Amino acid sequence: MTAIGFHASHEQIHPRALLEAVTHAESVGFDAAMCSDHFAPWSERQGHSGFAWSWLGSALQATGLSFGVVNAPGQRYHPAIIAQAIGTLGAMYPGRFWAALGSGEAANEHITGDAWPRKDVRNARLRECVEVIRALLAGEEVSHDGLVRVDRARLWSRPEQPPALVGAAVSVETARWCAEWADGLITVNASREHLRRMIDAYRSAGGRGPLHLQVHLSWAPAQAEAEAIAYDQWRSNVFAPPVCWDLTTPEHFDVVSAEVPRERLAEVVNISADLGRHVGWLEEYIDLGFDQIALHHVGQEQRPFLDAFGDQVLPKLLSL
C-alpha cells in the first residue's frame, strides 16, 4: 500500500509552526513526512529557511512518522558531515529515516563563495560523495582525493542498518543514472507520461528500492483562493532546469517570475478546490507504482489543508 506523507516546507514556514504542522499531520492520518534542506527560500514572499537537520531531530522525537530529507552534499556540506548526520539520526530512530541525495542548486550552494560547477561535474562530485557516505556508514575509515577530499574520516556512532540513500531526479536521464548507485528514487509531480518514463528508465537500468513522489498542490475551499495561493507562493518554481539550478538568490527568482502567467502554475502545482479532483490525481500516481507520496500544500497555512485531506482524501486512498 502506498504511504501518504506530509512534505514540510522549510522555505515557507517557521520551524516551530512546521513542527506543529507535522505533529498534526500524524494525528489526522498521514503515514510519513519529508523535507528539503535549503539555505534560502525560492522567493522573498516565502520568507523562511530553517535548518533541516536540527528540525528533523525534533520532528522524529515528536512523532512516530518515518522521515526523509533531500540534501546536496559536496559544496555547502562535506560528505563526512552528511554521513555523520545521517548516521546519528539513523542510530537514534532505527528504520525511520532516509536521505535523498542530489547535485543541488546554486541558490543554496553559492554561499560558500566557491564556483558553481557544470552539471556533469556536479554529478561526478555527487557520485564521489555517495561512495564516501556509504563507506563511512559501513564503518570504514575513509581517505579520498578527488572532487571532494577526505582525510582519515570515521564514524564512531552508527546505526546497525544504514539508512537508505535515495537518488533525486527530475529527468529521465538522471533517473537512469541514479539506478547505478541509489537505494530508491524520488521525483516531483509531472505528467503521467513523464513519470512513467522516469520509472521505466530507473527500473530498466537496474534501479532498486522504493519510488518516492513529492506532489506540489494547492487547495482551498474556493477555487479562486487555491489559485491565488499557488500564484503567490509558487510561481517562482515554474522554471525547468537549468534555470532553477543556476539562479542564486530569492531576488533573482522573484524578478524572473514577476510576469509568469497564472495558467502556467498548473504545470507544476495540482490546483483545485475539489477534493475529489485531488483524490483522482493521487490515484493516478498510485497506479504508476509509487511507494510513498509526500503532499506539499504550497500555502503557508497548513492546518486547513491537513484537516480537509485527513477527513476526505486519505480515507479514500486507503480504501483502494
Side-chain angles (χ1 to χ4, degrees), residues 210-287:
L211 300 172
H212 297 260
L213 180 68
Q214 180 187 355
V215 174
H216 302 300
L217 66 94
S218 183
W219 173 84
Q223 182 66 24
E225 184 183 358
E227 292 173 358
I229 289 170
Y231 190 73
D232 177 70
Q233 285 292 296
W234 215 246
R235 70 176 180 268
S236 54
N237 294 68
V238 302
F239 304 104
V243 174
C244 60
W245 290 338
D246 292 340
L247 295 179
T248 54
T249 69
E251 181 184 10
H252 291 167
F253 280 95
D254 283 338
V255 168
V256 300
S257 64
E259 304 300 328
V260 167
R262 284 181 175 265
E263 56 270 20
R264 191 171 174 188
L265 268 295
E267 298 173 10
V268 296
V269 182
N270 292 344
I271 307 171
S272 182
D274 181 356
L275 291 169
R277 184 71 184 98
H278 287 283
V279 171
W281 277 317
L282 293 170
E283 287 176 341
E284 291 180 1
Y285 302 140
I286 291 170
D287 289 343

Side-chain angles (χ1 to χ4, degrees), residues 15-315:
R16 186 170 55 249
L18 204 55
L19 186 62
E20 294 172 356
V22 77
T23 58
H24 190 61
E26 181 180 37
S27 73
V28 300
F30 282 79
D31 299 317
M34 66 164 288
C35 65
S36 296
D37 177 9
H38 286 257
F39 193 83
W42 299 101
S43 164
E44 292 188 1
R45 292 183 306 279
Q46 293 176 349
H48 291 281
S49 198
F51 186 51
W53 295 99
S54 299
W55 184 87
L56 280 163
S58 294
L60 281 156
Q61 183 65 27
T63 71
L65 300 174
S66 64
F67 277 80
V69 64
V70 183
N71 171 262
Q75 185 157 331
R76 183 167 42 118
Y77 293 110
H78 192 278
I81 298 302
I82 293 305
Q84 187 181 31
I86 292 171
T88 297
L89 290 177
M92 293 180 70
Y93 306 101
R96 291 178 54 201
F97 180 69
W98 52 271
L101 304 178
S103 60
E105 298 105 359
N108 301 305
E109 311 307 321
H110 78 92
I111 62 165
T112 65
D114 296 328
W116 180 235
R118 300 186 311 272
K119 176 61 173 173
D120 61 316
V121 177
R122 301 201 305 272
N123 279 355
R125 181 174 66 182
L126 173 59
R127 187 63 183 273
E128 290 184 19
C129 289
V130 170
E131 297 307 313
V132 168
I133 293 168
R134 283 201 190 281
L136 289 169
L137 290 171
E140 300 176 22
E141 180 179 280
V142 177
S143 294
H144 178 82
D145 293 292
L147 292 168
V148 293
R149 300 182 66 189
V150 185
D151 179 40
R152 295 167 292 178
R154 177 182 171 188
L155 291 186
W156 293 87
S157 296
R158 297 182 295 111
E160 292 185 10
Q161 181 66 37
L165 302 182
V166 175
V170 294
S171 71
V172 172
E173 295 75 16
T174 302
R176 185 177 295 111
W177 174 72
C178 286
E180 299 175 8
W181 58 266
D183 299 322
L185 183 73
I186 186 168
T187 189
V188 296
N189 56 297
S191 71
R192 185 183 181 92
E193 294 72 22
H194 179 73
L195 292 174
R196 182 181 289 110
R197 289 196 300 272
M198 289 192 65
I199 293 170
D200 290 347
Y202 181 71
R203 294 301 192 201
S204 64
R208 63 188 185 276
L211 300 172
H212 297 260
L213 180 68
Q214 180 187 355
V215 174
H216 302 300
L217 66 94
S218 183
W219 173 84
Q223 182 66 24
E225 184 183 358
E227 292 173 358
I229 289 170
Y231 190 73
D232 177 70
Q233 285 292 296
W234 215 246
R235 70 176 180 268
S236 54
N237 294 68
V238 302
F239 304 104
V243 174
C244 60
W245 290 338
D246 292 340
L247 295 179
T248 54
T249 69
E251 181 184 10
H252 291 167
F253 280 95
D254 283 338
V255 168
V256 300
S257 64
E259 304 300 328
V260 167
R262 284 181 175 265
E263 56 270 20
R264 191 171 174 188
L265 268 295
E267 298 173 10
V268 296
V269 182
N270 292 344
I271 307 171
S272 182
D274 181 356
L275 291 169
R277 184 71 184 98
H278 287 283
V279 171
W281 277 317
L282 293 170
E283 287 176 341
E284 291 180 1
Y285 302 140
I286 291 170
D287 289 343
L288 286 171
F290 285 100
D291 300 287
Q292 181 170 309
I293 299 175
L295 306 187
H296 171 212
H297 170 53
V298 300
Q300 292 180 303
E301 295 297 326
Q302 295 294 304
R303 187 170 284 257
F305 148 71
L306 290 170
D307 287 340
F309 275 62
D311 182 52
Q312 299 186 52
V313 174
L314 299 187

